[in-house]
Each structure stands twice: as C-alpha cells, then as structure tokens.
Amino acid sequence: MYGSVFRMKPAAGKRQELIDLMTAPDDRRPPGMVAAYLLAEDKDDAVWVMAVFEDEQSYRKNAQDPSQDEEYRRWRALLDADPEWHDGTIMQAPA
C-alpha cells in the first residue's frame, strides 16, 4: 500500500468547518483508494489525515485528477498554510 499522512493547521475559527468538510459524505471514491482517516488533535487545532491507496500508481493518478485538486482547494481555503505532507509506503504493524 502507499499513501500520505498530512498535517493541517486550520485558520482561526475554521477547525470545525474543515472537519465537517472532510468528513461529509462524498460519492467520489478515487480508484485504488483503500481508506482515509482523520485525527483531530486534542492538544491544539491541528488536523491530521491519512490517505491509503492500493499502490503508488493509484496514489499519483489521484494526485493528478482535477477533481482532487478542486477538493484540495476547498480545504486549503480554511488553512493558515499549506499542509505538511509525508508520502510513502504503508505497512501493517502487528496489533
């Protein structure tokens, strides 16, 4: 599997709006996407997301999709700065 973990810092007063936008039901399911998770930090306003794809090719194809860019621009409008991105191979650890 392949994907991204990214940290977002919402603009003042925009955290809940960002969370609502990112957790709203959406018919768009990118090909190859396995799962997406959101973590809203307790200690500050940071919001972390993990996007998991079957493979790097599916992940990169989604990144080039104009509809993904539109979605990103909606999130970005609610942030103080660009997200902090961490892309890479995702492996399952023993529970």
Side-chain angles (χ1 to χ4, degrees):
M1 291 183 290
Y2 193 88
S4 186
V5 175
F6 53 101
R7 180 182 185 270
M8 298 180 287
K9 183 69 174 165
K14 297 294 184 179
R15 182 177 193 239
Q16 191 57 52
E17 187 176 347
L18 176 65
I19 291 169
D20 291 347
L21 178 63
M22 297 195 79
T23 59
D26 186 355
D27 291 337
R28 189 176 99 74
R29 176 100 178 172
M33 180 173 247
V34 174
Y37 300 96
L38 184 142
L39 180 142
E41 275 193 40
D42 290 339
K43 67 180 182 174
D44 68 21
D45 284 344
V47 176
W48 291 78
V49 176
M50 178 178 235
V52 182
F53 285 79
E54 292 172 358
D55 52 40
E56 185 175 358
Q57 180 181 0
S58 299
Y59 174 81
R60 300 283 177 211
K61 186 174 181 180
N62 180 64
Q64 298 301 318
D65 186 330
S67 61
Q68 178 60 41
D69 184 59
E70 288 174 23
E71 187 173 336
Y72 169 76
R73 290 179 187 278
R74 287 192 299 272
W75 307 337
R76 180 60 183 91
L78 302 173
L79 305 179
D80 277 339
D82 289 340
E84 174 188 310
W85 299 94
H86 305 275
D87 297 345
T89 301
I90 297 171
M91 297 163 267
Q92 185 172 354

